[in-house]
Amino acid sequence: NNNNNNNNNNNASDKTIIVVGAGMAGLAMALNLAKTGVQVEVVEKRPDALEQRGSAYGLAVNAQRAMEEISPPTLEHVKNVGVPMHTGSYLLPWFEVRESLWKECQEMS
């Protein structure tokens, strides 16, 4: 009944969502959740997950539109440190994107 539903209202800000993985997808998810006011904790099994290593990463034009929604500061960082390609993409070490997203996640917590 309605009384039970009203008494059991769960405020999303009273809960912590655990995001598994500190890769680009996990950090983007955590950032989007944090922007809605949800408490977020990112867990990563690899102790070296945030080291500066990895391969090159290409951020295509459609991914840039998504990044503009997720994290305008990260998109700006990509444009500053990445190599522009003739296709409109940017090529850069992938940790540059991850570190920018991680920094923004930390600022929101």
Side-chain angles (χ1 to χ4, degrees):
N1 75 38
N2 285 341
N3 289 338
N4 286 341
N5 288 339
N6 290 336
N7 291 334
N8 291 328
N9 281 340
N10 291 322
N11 187 347
S13 64
D14 293 340
K15 300 191 183 301
T16 299
I17 303 293
I18 297 174
V19 176
V20 178
M24 204 171 317
L27 293 175
M29 175 63 75
L31 186 56
N32 273 329
L33 287 168
K35 286 179 179 179
T36 67
V38 173
Q39 293 292 329
V40 179
E41 180 179 347
V42 178
V43 294
E44 171 62 53
K45 72 176 181 177
R46 291 180 38 174
D48 63 345
L50 295 177
E51 288 184 6
Q52 290 187 351
R53 60 185 181 77
S55 59
Y57 177 75
L59 193 66
V61 175
N62 60 340
Q64 292 173 48
R65 287 192 295 270
M67 189 62 72
E68 179 67 34
E69 293 293 320
I70 295 166
S71 174
T74 296
L75 181 58
E76 187 64 30
H77 181 69
V78 164
K79 290 180 177 182
N80 287 333
V81 301
V83 176
M85 308 302 285
H86 73 281
T87 60
S89 299
Y90 286 87
L91 186 63
L92 65 158
W94 94 274
F95 66 80
E96 291 283 355
V97 178
R98 183 200 58 224
E99 286 179 357
S100 183
L101 288 170
W102 179 255
K103 178 182 174 187
E104 195 170 349
C105 284
Q106 294 301 309
E107 291 170 354
M108 295 194 78
S109 39

